[in-house]
Structures are given as structure tokens and as C-alpha cells.
Amino acid sequence: MKDAFFVVLKFLFAVLILPLVIASTFAFQNELVKFEPALRDALSWGMFSYIILKFFVYDFGVVYTFGQRLVTAAFQFLKPLVNAAPYVFPVYSMIVLAAYAVVSWMGNLDAWRTVFLFLFAFTFSMHIILTAQDLYNKDSSAGKPTYFFGMSLVYILDVFLMALLASLVLPGFSFPTFFNDLTGASGNIYKVVIGQLFKA
């Protein structure tokens, strides 16, 4: 009975945060579409390149696992976070953004901007897809309640973190605008759902 209660509770929480998943995606995309066409193309190619490679050539699972180990090692001193940190911190995407900032500071960015954005989209896609795969495989219960709740939460935190870092590094990406879009869109979804549930 207790196990069934927690299964239902996890599904309920997964449904409750679904509007945040949708809104964070919407808000992040709203910032990316402000980029010039060549930069948007680099992001699209990065995402689709990983998807194509994962399903038809190589999934970079070994690379992903190595990155998880790096994050785990970095958070050994924070025991409560050590298990969640590899999922919440897309280490390769963070490294790409850091490299972007360094090259930009050195004044040599023009020739490398599209390359960095391609790598950013590639590594972030790898992180999200392989994290979802990992969490799915670890949830052996019927209906995968832990997976749905955990992956939704990880996705929201990942997008939020990437938006924050991107606003510090990528010209034209505004975290305040992202946050306003996220809260506005999620609020609208909750209002519509609540309105339908309590509609006379």
C-alpha cells in the first residue's frame, strides 16, 4: 500500500511540473531564435547531428559516463548532491560555454562562434538524451514513476542552468527575459488547466 502511494505521488508531481517543462523549453527557444540565421543553423545542426549519430552510428555513452564521473568527483564533498549532480550539471556544455567565453575575451571568436554553438547544442542534446536513457533504465517499477518525475525535474534544472550560463556568455541571450517567459508561460498553462478542472 505504501509503495502504491509513492508511485501515485511521483506521477502526480510529474504531472504538476509538466507545465514547467513545456514553459522552460518555450522560453529557451524564444531566446535562441533571436540569434542570426547562421548561429541558429549551427545550433540546429549540433542537435540533429547528435541525434543522427546516436541512433545510427555511436551514442557517445562512454564520453557521457566519463563526464558524469568528473562531476561526481567534483561533488564528493557535498554528499547530498553527489548522486544528482552528474544529471543536473551538463559538464561538456559548461566546458564549451567556458571555452566560448575565453576565446571571446581573447578577441578570436568570429571564426569560432558557429563551432562553439554547434558543440553546445551537440553536448547538451547528448546530456539530455543519455540522462533520460540512464534514468529510464534505473527505474524498474511499473509505469516508471521515478523516471518521469526525476527526468522532468532534471530537465527543468538543466535548462535553467544553461540559460543562466548562456546569458553570461552569449551576446543577445537574456536570462531575465528567459525567466519572465518561463514564469509567464507556465502560469498561463496552470491557469488554463485549473480553469478547465473547475469549469462550471
Side-chain angles (χ1 to χ4, degrees):
M1 185 68 180
K2 183 179 179 181
D3 289 342
F5 172 76
F6 281 113
V7 167
V8 173
L9 194 63
K10 287 176 182 177
F11 272 124
L12 179 62
F13 278 122
V15 171
L16 287 175
I17 64 175
L18 184 59
L20 291 174
V21 172
I22 297 169
S24 60
T25 303
F26 167 79
F28 199 79
Q29 288 180 334
N30 267 4
E31 289 305 298
L32 295 182
V33 297
K34 296 176 183 177
F35 292 179
E36 59 185 73
L39 302 182
R40 293 201 303 269
D41 289 343
L43 290 165
S44 297
W45 276 109
M47 179 181 66
F48 289 121
S49 293
Y50 175 73
I51 293 172
I52 292 169
L53 286 174
K54 187 226 174 355
F55 290 106
F56 298 106
V57 183
Y58 181 66
D59 69 353
F60 290 85
V62 173
V63 178
Y64 171 78
T65 301
F66 178 74
Q68 281 194 310
R69 288 174 181 164
L70 289 178
V71 177
T72 299
F75 279 84
Q76 280 297 326
F77 62 96
L78 291 173
K79 292 298 182 182
L81 295 177
V82 72
N83 292 326
Y87 300 123
V88 175
F89 293 94
V91 62
Y92 294 115
S93 301
M94 294 170 71
I95 290 172
V96 169
L97 289 178
Y100 183 106
V102 170
V103 174
S104 177
W105 177 75
M106 295 172 62
N108 299 320
L109 187 60
D110 288 344
W112 295 96
R113 184 176 280 111
T114 54
V115 174
F116 280 123
L117 290 179
F118 174 92
L119 291 173
F120 172 70
F122 187 97
T123 55
F124 192 57
S125 298
M126 177 184 73
H127 176 80
I128 291 296
I129 292 172
L130 293 184
T131 292
Q133 181 177 294
D134 192 18
L135 292 176
Y136 183 90
N137 291 334
K138 286 181 176 178
D139 187 3
S140 58
S141 56
K144 304 286 184 181
T146 302
Y147 162 72
F148 284 112
F149 173 65
M151 189 59 215
S152 297
L153 194 59
V154 165
Y155 179 82
I156 293 166
L157 293 173
D158 277 348
V159 173
F160 192 89
L161 176 62
M162 287 297 97
L164 180 60
L165 294 178
S167 69
L168 299 175
V169 175
L170 303 179
F173 195 108
S174 169
F175 182 78
T177 303
F178 162 83
F179 187 77
N180 286 337
D181 287 346
L182 189 159
T183 54
S186 58
N188 288 336
I189 295 172
Y190 284 120
K191 286 178 184 177
V192 169
V193 172
I194 292 171
Q196 289 297 317
L197 289 175
F198 295 97
K199 188 176 181 179

